[in-house]
Amino acid sequence: MAKSSSLNKDTQQALRELKQQLKAAPVTTITASAKTANIKGASGKAPEETPDDEKLFAQAMRGVKPIKTDETPVPASARPKKPSAQILARRAAAVGVDEAGMQGISDTQAMLNPVASEAVLSYRLATLQHRIFEQLKTGKLRWYEAVDLHGCTIEEARSAVLQIIEMARQANENVIKIVHGKGPQAILKTYVNGWLRQHREVLAFVSAPSEQGGTGAVLVLIKRAERQSSDEKANTSKPKTR
């Protein structure tokens, strides 16, 4: 029994010492209100929570609707814009024009036959069928390309006319349209009239119908470029044997 009493006393002493230690230790528990008070700044307001990347992205995309693939507009295919006379002139200067077309083209010769502003231009070779000329005259022949000479110098206009004729021949087309305008003196109109009459590839030309430019433009019929057949090309490319 003495031993049991001694143990009880020791246990009681240990408990008393533990209580004293707990009382002496600082309190480290922080309540929710104390935590909020420590976070508040000088203004007394708690800072707002910083949104994460997902929240920022969601806010930025608010109200944006996705584009459906089948609703995406498809641009309609359009024919490229026709080259201006200045572009044709620069192209002619860069690559050159058909030497055959250049031979016999004289500005002086063209100016020897001035035409009036409202004059109807008309020209055809004697060998051309009258029926084809009438189709050209009435605008029934589809023209391949057109060039507008308004604002051109004489040199630019001449180069543009020669170049568009060469372009048509390379494309195996034989009708083009040249807009020369009228003007008080009809200078460009006079030059175009003279140049076309001298050009060896021109079969005929005539002032366009009123709905296609009237006396301010001409429809020109030119010779088609001669095309060798595939057989002829093959025979030409083969070396001759004896």
Side-chain angles (χ1 to χ4, degrees):
M1 296 296 293
K3 186 175 181 181
S4 175
S5 176
S6 176
L7 290 173
N8 290 337
K9 290 181 180 180
D10 293 339
T11 302
Q12 292 176 1
Q13 182 63 30
L15 289 174
R16 284 195 294 268
E17 291 177 357
L18 179 60
K19 289 181 180 180
Q20 291 176 358
Q21 292 176 2
L22 291 175
K23 290 180 179 180
V27 179
T28 58
T29 304
I30 301 176
T31 62
S33 59
K35 183 177 180 181
T36 305
N38 291 334
I39 294 176
K40 289 183 180 179
S43 62
K45 296 181 179 181
E48 298 179 356
E49 293 183 2
T50 304
D52 55 17
D53 293 341
E54 292 183 359
K55 290 182 179 180
L56 289 174
F57 179 78
Q59 292 175 1
M61 297 300 293
R62 186 177 299 165
V64 178
K65 296 180 179 180
I67 299 176
K68 296 181 180 180
T69 305
D70 56 352
E71 293 181 358
T72 303
V74 179
S77 57
R79 184 180 180 182
K81 292 184 178 180
K82 295 181 175 61
S84 66
Q86 287 79 4
I87 293 177
L88 287 175
R90 288 194 293 270
R91 184 185 302 174
V95 303
V97 295
D98 184 23
E99 293 182 359
M102 284 293 295
Q103 293 177 5
I105 302 296
S106 168
D107 293 347
T108 302
Q109 182 68 25
M111 287 302 294
L112 291 178
N113 184 28
V115 296
S117 176
E118 297 294 339
V120 175
L121 302 183
S122 180
Y123 167 84
R124 74 180 180 96
L125 293 179
T127 55
L128 181 67
Q129 296 180 12
H130 180 73
R131 176 179 57 84
I132 297 177
F133 182 69
E134 286 298 317
Q135 291 177 341
L136 179 70
K137 186 176 180 180
T138 55
K140 293 181 179 180
L141 298 181
R142 180 186 61 85
W143 47 270
Y144 158 71
E145 190 62 276
V147 62
D148 191 339
L149 304 181
H150 282 96
C152 289
T153 64
I154 301 303
E155 290 75 16
E156 289 175 339
R158 184 196 322 108
S159 295
V161 169
L162 296 175
Q163 182 67 20
I164 196 173
I165 291 175
E166 182 62 20
M167 285 172 56
R169 283 175 52 78
Q170 291 179 0
N172 201 28
E173 298 285 347
N174 66 339
V175 181
I176 59 173
K177 178 174 148 181
I178 300 174
V179 181
H180 47 67
K182 302 175 184 180
Q185 305 299 325
I187 295 176
L188 278 179
K189 183 175 182 176
T190 294
Y191 273 112
V192 169
N193 177 65
W195 293 331
L196 294 178
R197 289 175 181 269
Q198 298 174 60
H199 203 296
R200 63 179 61 186
E201 304 300 333
V202 173
L203 296 174
F205 64 87
V206 64
S207 290
S210 57
E211 67 274 10
Q212 297 189 33
T215 56
V218 286
L219 299 176
V220 186
L221 180 67
I222 60 178
K223 298 177 183 178
R224 289 187 184 273
E226 295 181 0
R227 304 284 183 181
Q228 286 183 318
S229 65
S230 57
D231 294 338
E232 290 174 340
K233 289 182 178 180
N235 293 333
T236 303
S237 61
K238 291 180 180 179
K240 293 182 179 180
T241 57
R242 294 181 180 177

